[in-house]
Amino acid sequence: MHYCSDSTFDDNLEAIEADFRFYYDCLMGPNARSLLNAMKKMGELGNIRIIANGHGPLLYHNLELLRECYQNWSHKQAKAETVVAIYCATDYGYADRLAAAVAQGVQKTGVGVEMIDLTTADIQEIQELAGRAAGIIIGMPPSANVAAQAAISSLLAIVKDKQVIGLFECYGEDDEPIDLLRRKFIDLGVKEAFPAVRLKEAPNAATYQLLQEAGTDMGQLLVRERNIKQIKSLDVNMEKALGRISSGLYIITTQKSGVNGAMLASWVAQASLQPLGFTVAIAKDRAIDSLMQEGDRFVLNVLEEGNYQELKKHFLKRLYPGADRFAGVKTQTAHNGCPILTDALAYMECEVVSTMECSDHWLLYCTVQDGRVSKPNGLTAVRHRKVGNYY
Ligand SMILES: Cc1cc2nc3c(=O)[nH]c(=O)nc-3n(C[C@H](O)[C@H](O)[C@H](O)COP(=O)(O)O)c2cc1C
């Protein structure tokens, strides 16, 4: 993991957990099959007492648990019914980090990812993966690389019009031109899952967020039908009963390293008195998820009954990855740096303290540091539902 502290060993599991998972999701998950093989070989070594990583603390205290995590996550990845193939020249430009971001975005939707290097893999391997992948993502390789050219031609020869593609530039010095390749795929009847990502400057936090959202868009497109079927198969009476759980309407607004995010939320409930705290459930494939990690700060804006339709409509609009979610909305800046919606009934400045994985959602426990109400007699917008299989 990319984690650095004074501890030589993994004595503080809580401190390293998030980085351990993040590293897996970005770099190991896309190679789950090779990882399982490697772990099998490792098992043959017998009683392992320490795993000395290239970087991050040495694994000693939690060896069993951490190995089990890698096993379980990799089995889940390798068994994923739907797979996206990511092809790039990993040693070129910013390809590896951009590919990791797009991979993480895809995996948030429960779709598996496999990554292959365009310059070193053999054509058979490239085509085998392309043959079973539902989506194909290509990081543009250097145009002068003969092996990459041959690999791309082999991809063009095998893609089917049922598959979807996504292309991104790698900010190397000599990227293969994106438009030419994009046109070739479109002429073959392959649809784009997200607009090609073109880079005019060296990647920054906003670029990685954009790539992650692009990956999520592809994943969501691939699982949409399956998710609808699953929702429809729920017991109708149970669904109706659950629908009687009602709540308020809120907009979460964030800003972190120059990247902003916002989301309409209703699964919000107070959870503690001292300190004042509440929980909010965030679906795993939400764009805002990466800005709502432990320690992150945000604003919870409370919408007002009879006066929320415009804000609700605005924040539910589907935007292209990377678009400014606050264009045309009145905001002020909170002490914690996040935007406050001027037209909200009240706002609270909050911090994510801990998270709990609840199947398809993350449940976030958050504490409140500050807050104001704009209209003393205003009432919170209430959300009444007929069924419990949506918000
Ligand atoms: C009334 C209503 C309440 C919602 N509440 C939540 C919620 O509590 N948690 C959540 O993850 N999504 C919730 N959503 C869904 C998100 O607001 C919406 O799908 C999301 O903003 C899409 O963002 P994304 O594509 O950027 O991830 C709700 C949607 C509606 C219509």
Side-chain angles (χ1 to χ4, degrees), residues 296-355:
D296 285 346
R297 289 163 187 265
F298 67 96
V299 167
L300 183 71
N301 300 272
V302 182
L303 297 186
E304 184 186 3
E305 192 60 64
N307 184 27
Y308 64 82
Q309 288 300 350
E310 290 231 343
L311 283 175
K312 180 178 168 202
K313 213 168 101 194
H314 178 92
F315 286 102
L316 278 178
K317 231 182 283 157
R318 223 178 141 65
L319 299 180
Y320 276 129
D324 177 11
R325 271 153 220 273
F326 293 94
V329 180
K330 278 185 270 172
T331 60
Q332 287 148 270
T333 307
H335 296 300
N336 69 12
C338 301
I340 298 170
L341 300 179
T342 311
D343 292 334
L345 170 65
Y347 76 88
M348 281 153 267
E349 298 198 23
C350 320
E351 180 180 345
V352 181
V353 174
S354 56
T355 59

Side-chain angles (χ1 to χ4, degrees), residues 12 50 112 151 205 219 252 271 273 279 297 320 347 376 382:
N12 188 350
I50 293 183
I252 293 172
L273 288 170
T279 58
R297 289 163 187 265
Y320 276 129
Y347 76 88
V382 182

Side-chain angles (χ1 to χ4, degrees), residues 109 111 163-165 191-194 215-226 318:
T109 64
V111 168
Q163 288 170 310
V164 291
I165 54 142
K191 283 190 206 65
E192 267 186 308
F194 55 82
T216 302
D217 277 359
M218 179 181 277
Q220 283 173 339
L221 187 72
L222 296 174
V223 294
R224 192 167 293 156
E225 275 175 33
R226 191 178 72 199
R318 223 178 141 65

Side-chain angles (χ1 to χ4, degrees), residues 80-185:
E81 282 169 40
T82 312
V83 170
V84 164
I86 302 181
Y87 298 94
C88 60
T90 47
D91 274 345
Y92 175 63
Y94 288 80
D96 51 348
R97 285 193 64 190
L98 294 166
V102 80
Q104 208 201 1
V106 173
Q107 289 172 95
K108 278 165 68 172
T109 64
V111 168
V113 169
E114 288 184 39
M115 209 181 291
I116 281 194
D117 193 314
L118 275 174
T119 54
T120 54
D122 63 53
I123 300 290
Q124 236 175 345
E125 201 185 339
I126 287 172
Q127 289 197 325
E128 186 276 326
L129 176 57
R132 61 186 162 83
I136 291 173
I137 297 178
I138 301 176
M140 303 310 290
S143 59
N145 187 296
V146 178
Q149 295 303 323
I152 287 186
S153 303
S154 75
L155 279 176
L156 285 163
I158 199 168
V159 288
K160 296 181 276 301
D161 55 8
K162 274 193 299 206
Q163 288 170 310
V164 291
I165 54 142
L167 305 175
F168 66 90
E169 287 174 345
C170 292
Y171 204 68
E173 288 185 352
D174 177 30
D175 288 11
E176 169 80 17
I178 217 162
D179 285 320
L180 216 68
L181 185 61
R182 181 175 168 268
R183 178 58 32 217
K184 285 183 185 165
F185 276 111

Side-chain angles (χ1 to χ4, degrees), residues 24 36 53 128 150 196 230 289 332 366 373:
Y24 179 87
L36 284 170
N53 296 299
E128 186 276 326
Q230 271 171 0
D289 158 76
Q332 287 148 270
C366 315
V373 179

